Amino acid sequence: MTNLKMSVSSKAPVFSKNQAIVLGVTMSDKKVKLITHRVDSSMISNLDLSSVGVKTKNESVARIPGPNGSVFVLVGVGQEVLDEDSLREVAGAVSRAVAGLESIVFDLPTEDATDAVNILEGAALGLYEFNTYKGNPKASSIKVSKIIVLSDHKVSSAAISRSEVLVETVFATRDLVNTPPNDLYPESFADAVLKRVKGLDLKVEIWDEKKLAADGFGGILAVGKGSTRPPRLVKVSYKPQGATKHLALVGKGITFDSGGLSLKPAESMVGMKYDMTGAATVFEALIAIAKLGLSVEATAWLCLAENLPSGSATRPNDIIKIRNGKTVEVLNTDAEGRLVLADGLSAASEANPDLIIDVATLTGAATVALGNRYAGLMGTSEAISAVEAAAFDAGELVWHMPLPVELRSLLDSELADIANVKIGQRAGGMLIGGLFLKEFVGKPATGEEQKIAWAHLDIAGPANNDAAAYGYTPKGATGALLRTLVSVAE
């Protein structure tokens, strides 16, 4: 990312070698036609585009040789009117298809400066690759180093810098999540945090297993006790002068989830390195907040553990005590994310922030209900409104789900304050997970009965894309919802 230059220009550049000129195509009078553009397209304007493989289906991409060694990249837009979200997606699809070229010039219609920035952002997000563990990666030696959007609308350098920061932190999130669990575990994750914050106005505090025990973090300890690699809690703080609002972010960081003694089937364990996506997302969101110099106090709590079965692992029917003093009867050790988040939410509440957002790959039920692209959103009304508005601005998908009061009794325990699951209850699993977490959100210091404003994002669906890449979303870790968190902070 450091070598990528992003800009907006009203003047079309000279055609040059290894340059992609991106034009949109749509269907008109039963013919494939170019949509409004400004570059000289005379070389291809008389071609029967459909006969050379050009399609108008949204995000379909075709390459045709252009002048001076350049390439016309014709992308299907489906319809001639492109909104903010589709501009991001189309630009990302182009970036994934231009391997071997050095620069991309987007000549797509822009209604305003926001459209131009969204093209830049989508295009940059689409360039992501993760080849760290490939001995002989197939990626081209030529990389895209320049993205230009042609537009008459002026875009500030601050807007471009913001997109650069967002793209860089999304990439860093994807890198963390894609890292295999033999290399990324609680201690190494904490070490990575220390390296990443160097040079930034951030403070880091780390709880090892001894400090976790001393300070009453029974949920994180209980989940991590089955592994030889002990758990960690990491607090990352950003407190600029003059900040009057405080945003707390809590992330589930299960670096590998076998299910513990409630062991998952073998095929269900594949991909469980992604169970730390929540922690990676909130951490990199805080990095973005600090790099952008936002005037808001922000704190990220990374709840890190490896959930494995062993002679020391937590058993079903064990009762543990969470940081806020509530006891939990563990009936299913594979419902471990809510146990570590309970500690994180309790600790975050102690600082009486204005808003708490927790992010977690919490339930398979979320994907059953919402598929693989929407995150489930639960919480208090003011928090829901804030996250929905931010997600809309970021072009990310959330869906407000209820927290039905009548389901809370399913978590009643005869021996403890609450159970972590209701055995045999398959209906409403995502909602029950949210109801459990709600128990560990504190009340404001003012003594009000209502809880601190809180939102829960169940990102089990969008955190990882195990299907084909689409738009600016690669196969594998996606970095979803980071941009939404930054928008909330703004």
Side-chain angles (χ1 to χ4, degrees):
M1 279 303 300
T2 54
N3 297 322
L4 181 64
K5 184 178 180 182
M6 300 162 63
S7 63
V8 176
S9 174
S10 60
K11 185 178 179 181
V14 176
F15 291 106
S16 60
K17 186 178 180 182
N18 291 326
Q19 177 190 70
I21 308 295
V22 181
L23 305 177
V25 292
T26 190
M27 187 67 72
S28 178
D29 297 328
K30 297 183 179 180
K31 287 187 177 181
V32 178
K33 292 188 177 180
L34 300 173
I35 64 174
T36 305
H37 60 282
R38 65 184 66 200
V39 300
D40 179 6
S41 62
S42 57
M43 187 172 177
I44 60 171
S45 58
N46 293 322
L47 290 176
D48 179 355
L49 295 176
S50 60
S51 69
V52 291
V54 179
K55 297 178 181 179
T56 61
K57 182 180 178 182
N58 200 36
E59 297 185 22
S60 60
V61 177
R63 295 166 61 150
I64 298 176
N68 303 330
S70 65
V71 177
F72 284 110
V73 176
L74 306 186
V75 59
V77 299
Q79 54 186 356
E80 196 163 340
V81 179
L82 290 164
D83 61 19
E84 295 178 12
D85 295 339
S86 56
L87 283 171
R88 280 195 194 94
E89 298 287 352
V90 163
V94 168
S95 290
R96 292 189 292 101
V98 295
L101 299 177
E102 293 177 346
S103 64
I104 314 175
V105 179
F106 284 91
D107 192 358
L108 299 172
T110 56
E111 294 293 327
D112 51 30
T114 300
D115 280 354
V117 171
N118 286 336
I119 294 172
L120 282 176
E121 195 170 290
L125 287 168
L127 292 173
Y128 179 78
E129 293 179 327
F130 188 75
N131 294 316
T132 305
Y133 291 85
K134 291 187 177 181
N136 186 25
K138 296 178 181 179
S140 168
S141 58
I142 299 176
K143 303 287 185 184
V144 174
S145 60
K146 188 184 299 183
I147 300 173
I148 302 170
V149 173
L150 300 184
S151 176
D152 290 327
H153 302 285
K154 286 191 174 181
V155 175
S156 68
S157 58
I160 293 176
S161 295
R162 177 185 183 275
S163 285
E164 289 173 340
V165 168
L166 291 178
V167 172
E168 188 259 332
T169 47
V170 168
F171 279 21
T173 302
R174 292 172 179 175
D175 284 350
L176 275 171
V177 179
N178 281 327
T179 301
N182 55 317
D183 284 344
L184 190 73
Y185 45 92
E187 186 177 6
S188 66
F189 197 145
D191 290 341
V193 168
L194 292 173
K195 292 177 183 176
R196 181 84 167 107
V197 301
K198 285 184 178 178
L200 296 175
D201 188 20
L202 294 169
K203 180 182 177 183
V204 177
E205 185 176 359
I206 298 173
W207 281 258
D208 63 12
E209 62 272 31
K210 291 181 181 179
K211 191 175 179 185
L212 286 167
D215 289 349
F217 289 99
I220 297 174
L221 280 169
V223 175
K225 65 190 291 189
S227 173
T228 57
R229 304 193 289 194
R232 293 288 185 270
L233 174 65
V234 180
K235 177 185 178 184
V236 187
S237 305
Y238 170 70
K239 194 171 184 179
Q241 274 193 332
T244 59
K245 297 289 185 180
H246 181 190
L247 170 65
L249 304 173
V250 182
K252 174 186 173 184
I254 305 300
T255 57
F256 185 78
D257 181 20
S258 71
L261 290 180
S262 304
L263 198 66
K264 294 177 184 288
E267 62 273 15
S268 298
M269 284 192 219
V270 178
M272 282 300 102
K273 67 177 184 176
Y274 296 118
D275 220 13
M276 39 62 66
T277 302
T281 304
V282 302
F283 170 56
E284 286 296 335
L286 206 75
I287 294 288
I289 289 167
K291 287 193 170 189
L292 292 171
L294 301 185
S295 57
V296 60
E297 181 180 355
T299 310
W301 296 86
L302 318 185
C303 307
L304 309 176
E306 187 174 54
N307 187 26
L308 294 178
S310 74
S312 61
T314 293
R315 297 159 289 260
N317 283 134
D318 280 0
I319 294 178
I320 62 174
K321 183 180 285 188
I322 303 299
R323 166 77 176 184
N324 70 348
K326 287 189 177 182
T327 56
V328 178
E329 184 177 11
V330 180
L331 298 181
N332 184 339
T333 64
D334 195 23
E336 83 299 327
R338 61 198 68 185
L339 300 179
V340 301
L341 287 174
D343 274 337
L345 288 167
S346 300
S349 297
E350 291 169 13
N352 193 36
D354 296 280
L355 173 62
I356 301 174
I357 303 175
D358 74 76
V359 184
T361 49
L362 199 73
T363 65
T367 62
V368 173
L370 298 175
N372 295 316
R373 298 193 184 185
Y374 277 83
L377 171 62
M378 290 149 270
T380 59
S381 58
E382 62 270 49
I384 294 295
S385 297
V387 175
E388 284 183 325
F392 180 82
D393 289 343
E396 298 190 297
L397 302 175
V398 301
W399 197 260
H400 179 196
M401 300 296 290
L403 291 173
V405 175
E406 70 273 12
L407 295 182
R408 169 59 184 85
S409 61
L410 295 173
L411 295 175
D412 287 347
S413 166
E414 294 182 6
L415 303 174
D417 295 323
I418 191 171
N420 74 328
V421 295
K422 172 66 174 179
I423 295 295
Q425 174 72 22
R426 300 185 65 83
M430 171 173 44
L431 314 182
I432 292 171
L435 285 167
F436 179 90
L437 296 178
K438 182 181 178 182
E439 295 286 320
F440 301 92
V441 179
K443 295 178 181 178
T446 55
E448 300 172 24
E449 281 303 308
Q450 188 175 0
K451 291 181 180 290
I452 295 168
W454 157 73
H456 162 55
L457 281 166
D458 191 333
I459 62 169
N464 173 57
N465 174 33
D466 58 8
Y470 60 92
Y472 56 78
T473 301
K475 187 175 176 63
T478 65
L481 279 301
L482 178 145
R483 292 179 297 117
T484 292
L485 296 179
V486 175
S487 290
V488 170
E490 289 171 325

